[in-house]
Amino acid sequence: MKTIRILTVALAVTLFASCYEDKGNYDYHAINEVTIEGVPERMEIDRLETLTITPQFEGTLYGQDEDRYTYEWQLGKNVISTDKVLNYEVTNSTGSYTLRLSVIDKDNGTRAFAVTNLVVNSSTSSDGILVVSNQNGVADLSYLRLDKENANFSSMFYNRSHEEPLGHNPTFLTQTFVDGCKTYVNKFGGQGIKLVCDEGMMCINNMTLEKNGAIDKQFMLDYGPLYPVPDYSGFKPCYVNSFVSQWRLSPYGSVFNSEYEWVISEDGGLSMISFYRSSAPDIYSANFKQDGDVTYKFSPMISEMGRTPTADRGLNLNAGWDGTYRQFVFDELSGKFFQFDYEDMTEIDADGKSFPGYRAFYGEDTYQSELCFAAISNGSNTKLALFDASQLGTEACKVYDVDAPLMDSSNRFFMLRNIPYVYIVTGDALYRYNVLNVQTGVSPNDGDRLIKLSELGYGNDARIADACMHRGEKKMLLAVSRYGSDTAGNGDELKTDIVEISLEGSKPTLLNKYEGVAGASPKVIYKYRTFARNDERTVD
């Protein structure tokens, strides 16, 4: 029976094979195999520089006919180019990335690949020029590194590599230096740049230019008094000023460094925060605006009342500044100047002189034995004020003032260290004014003007929107806006130039002009890697 079954199966297979007709109609296609060269397996580049890769490839069918292919460069999960030659400004954060080139056959969609391990190094850890400005209503960063000759501005780069925008409506930009103990800094990544915008006061790493936390209500709750908890309901920072205390040979990163930061809130409250290299932040005053039955509303201005260079201490070749650790403030409710000393408020003018309806927008000590200078405005009139803090508590302490019709609250002021002069930057000119003239009633005038914007080649459509003086006091940055009344920076064209001028000699001269590198409402600073130069005796 077994033999019969086997014979039956064999017969069926033979009959099936004889019925099948092989027509021999096979359609074979040769595969176009592509070889890619010119794409290294590993590459390193500094952030904000342009990565250029020119691949060469050849197919077994099409040779080097580029029209038979499409291209796709992918960095991580994002397609960054569809051109054959890659020219990509690396705005990505520092780190290691996978870069992949796909060469795609147009006929059948087959792909050939080349993969690179791309390492992005920091180019923002050195000194540079930093600008924050608006484009189409959103704030963004522009940056120029100063450690590389002939470097180009990287314009409006932050939002190109971040899903969350930098912020909206920037109003204030500055740099601080001491961030706290190692544990705290490691947690927040360093917070050297302070940026005030609609979102509050953001802390930005001065090495990577990445956002790292904020000085906000939660910050105050984390490091402020445990009991009773101050009222932070109206706390929204709008201004910060700081004073670095530095004594040792290692000027940056030493446990001996400390910095005091005074934060003014939009509700007029004042907070005093200390940062030490040996501990986490410590808030001495938390949104202070009430002293017994007296209520204060502080203008966005606070300044040390008298600093002097410290004497050399042994091997301390980088002696810092010594201060009084007393600050002067302006109370808008009373219209008076006060000394603020750990919440101890002392009226400055012995006769109770006041400026009702005014608001202070600038103040600084002049390094001249506690001689202090300020600018106040009521919207229609601007006054300059001067007083000698060393006379505080005596009948001789007077606040002198003079009307300044050429000035307004949008102007920038920069005090010189060793002589009683201040630079004043208006919308169309730069002035150099002797602050001692306040006491004699002499206002800034045309004789104090050093240079007009028109002398730098600009027409009536341009204005100086912001400025920053280099700490060496030999040059200055001017952010020249050609946006007119457009504060949002609408459109694709960038219309703010950064102009660098020399302050040496009898008249400023042009050093560099960087055209179309930022958006509207610009804020510009020189960004420093450290508080002190390694080869300077004076660190500020």
Side-chain angles (χ1 to χ4, degrees):
M1 193 69 177
K2 181 177 181 181
T3 304
I4 295 175
R5 288 197 188 101
I6 294 173
L7 290 174
T8 303
V9 172
L11 180 62
V13 171
T14 303
L15 291 173
F16 177 79
S18 64
C19 294
Y20 178 75
E21 181 181 359
D22 186 357
K23 298 182 181 296
N25 188 24
Y26 299 113
D27 188 11
Y28 292 103
H29 292 279
I31 298 176
N32 180 46
E33 298 181 359
V34 178
T35 302
I36 303 174
E37 296 181 349
V39 181
E41 293 183 358
R42 186 178 188 277
M43 298 184 69
E44 290 194 20
I45 191 170
D46 286 343
R47 188 184 184 207
L48 306 183
E49 291 198 342
T50 298
L51 174 65
T52 300
I53 302 178
T54 304
Q56 296 87 36
F57 56 86
E58 185 169 351
T60 54
L61 293 182
Y62 311 142
Q64 298 179 351
D65 187 356
E66 298 179 4
D67 295 334
R68 305 299 295 266
Y69 306 96
T70 59
Y71 314 95
E72 184 177 278
W73 293 90
Q74 187 174 2
L75 187 62
K77 297 180 180 180
N78 301 317
V79 175
I80 59 173
S81 177
T82 56
D83 297 328
K84 175 193 172 185
V85 177
L86 177 65
N87 288 288
Y88 173 67
E89 185 182 16
V90 181
T91 59
N92 305 72
S93 304
T94 57
S96 180
Y97 298 84
T98 298
L99 174 66
R100 184 174 68 175
L101 166 64
S102 299
V103 179
I104 307 166
D105 192 312
K106 288 182 178 180
D107 287 347
N108 54 30
T110 58
R111 294 178 177 236
F113 302 98
V115 177
T116 296
N117 176 28
L118 180 65
V119 178
V120 179
N121 299 315
S122 175
S123 65
T124 56
S125 59
S126 61
D127 291 355
I129 297 173
L130 180 65
V131 191
V132 59
S133 60
N134 287 336
Q135 187 174 29
N136 297 315
V138 181
D140 208 341
L141 295 178
S142 297
Y143 184 74
L144 175 70
R145 58 188 299 182
L146 295 178
D147 65 323
K148 184 177 180 179
E149 189 175 358
N150 299 322
N152 295 319
F153 245 103
S154 182
S155 299
M156 312 301 274
F157 66 86
Y158 184 93
N159 294 333
R160 281 184 272 152
S161 55
H162 294 78
E163 294 182 0
E164 179 184 348
L166 178 68
H168 298 82
N169 299 318
T171 58
F172 183 81
L173 179 68
T174 191
Q175 180 175 8
T176 57
F177 291 91
V178 180
D179 300 328
C181 65
K182 184 177 180 180
T183 302
Y184 176 78
V185 173
N186 287 346
K187 180 179 179 181
F188 292 101
Q191 304 184 29
I193 307 297
K194 302 296 188 293
L195 171 63
V196 176
C197 55
D198 286 351
E199 287 78 2
M201 181 175 289
M202 295 185 298
C203 303
I204 299 176
N205 189 309
N206 74 330
M207 295 180 62
T208 65
L209 299 183
E210 295 289 332
K211 290 192 289 187
N212 290 287
I215 293 181
D216 53 14
K217 295 178 184 178
Q218 188 59 50
F219 178 94
M220 302 301 285
L221 288 170
D222 289 342
Y223 300 103
L226 297 177
Y227 183 83
V229 178
D231 179 14
Y232 298 126
S233 58
F235 179 76
K236 184 179 180 182
C238 65
Y239 176 85
V240 61
N241 198 359
S242 64
F243 177 79
V244 174
S245 176
Q246 182 273 162
W247 280 91
R248 294 295 187 258
L249 179 63
S250 55
Y252 188 78
S254 166
V255 296
F256 297 101
N257 294 164
S258 63
E259 184 167 8
Y260 295 89
E261 295 179 16
W262 299 284
V263 178
I264 305 294
S265 174
E266 283 188 354
D267 64 356
L270 189 160
S271 302
M272 180 180 177
I273 308 171
S274 65
F275 289 86
Y276 297 99
R277 288 288 184 203
S278 57
S279 64
D282 190 1
I283 299 175
Y284 284 116
S285 300
N287 212 29
F288 169 78
K289 51 181 179 283
Q290 190 78 29
D291 185 12
D293 296 332
V294 181
T295 301
Y296 301 97
K297 182 180 180 181
F298 299 107
S299 289
M301 180 282 296
I302 183 170
S303 176
E304 172 69 25
M305 292 184 68
R307 73 189 87 183
T308 56
T310 58
D312 288 350
R313 299 290 181 94
L315 296 177
N316 179 16
L317 301 180
N318 289 286
W321 291 104
D322 190 16
T324 63
Y325 297 95
R326 295 177 283 113
Q327 297 78 42
F328 73 90
V329 293
F330 185 81
D331 172 38
E332 296 178 10
L333 298 181
S334 64
K336 296 181 179 181
F337 287 97
F338 286 86
Q339 173 187 274
F340 175 83
D341 186 10
Y342 294 93
E343 299 188 2
D344 181 17
M345 298 286 289
T346 304
E347 191 173 327
I348 289 176
D349 190 281
D351 296 329
K353 186 176 185 178
S354 64
F355 304 90
Y358 278 80
R359 187 174 194 247
F361 62 92
Y362 168 79
E364 194 166 0
D365 65 314
T366 66
Y367 307 85
Q368 303 290 311
S369 301
E370 301 185 50
L371 191 66
C372 298
F373 175 79
I376 60 178
S377 176
N378 64 2
S380 59
N381 186 51
T382 297
K383 289 180 177 289
L384 305 180
L386 185 75
F387 62 88
D388 186 347
S390 67
Q391 298 176 341
L392 189 65
T394 71
E395 295 181 358
C397 192
K398 308 290 184 182
V399 176
Y400 298 92
D401 69 279
V402 64
D403 289 337
L406 296 180
M407 312 295 132
D408 62 49
S409 59
S410 68
N411 298 162
R412 294 297 308 274
F413 293 73
F414 302 96
M415 187 65 62
L416 288 166
R417 280 197 303 264
N418 300 315
I419 53 177
Y421 281 84
V422 63
Y423 284 108
I424 306 174
V425 183
T426 66
D428 63 352
L430 171 66
Y431 295 78
R432 189 173 185 263
Y433 175 69
N434 188 332
V435 300
L436 299 179
N437 285 335
V438 174
Q439 190 169 347
T440 58
V442 179
S443 303
N445 54 61
D446 290 343
D448 300 311
R449 188 172 59 220
L450 296 178
I451 192 170
K452 290 183 177 181
L453 192 58
S454 59
E455 296 176 60
L456 296 172
Y458 287 96
N460 295 330
D461 63 331
R463 60 178 293 272
I464 305 173
D466 196 31
C468 180
M469 185 169 70
H470 191 273
R471 62 182 171 191
E473 300 185 351
K474 296 180 180 180
K475 55 186 179 179
M476 178 179 287
L477 296 172
L478 305 176
V480 181
S481 171
R482 294 175 277 108
Y483 279 92
S485 60
D486 178 11
T487 59
N490 295 309
D492 296 330
E493 181 186 2
L494 299 179
K495 294 187 286 186
T496 286
D497 305 339
I498 300 300
V499 178
E500 188 173 40
I501 59 175
S502 170
L503 300 176
E504 297 186 276
S506 60
K507 187 176 181 63
T509 56
L510 179 65
L511 292 175
N512 297 289
K513 180 186 282 190
Y514 307 96
E515 297 183 326
V517 297
S521 306
K523 306 297 176 186
V524 61
I525 61 172
Y526 281 107
K527 185 193 79 69
Y528 305 113
R529 173 61 184 88
T530 66
F531 178 67
R533 300 293 188 196
N534 291 333
D535 57 352
E536 295 289 340
R537 294 177 67 85
T538 304
V539 299
D540 190 348

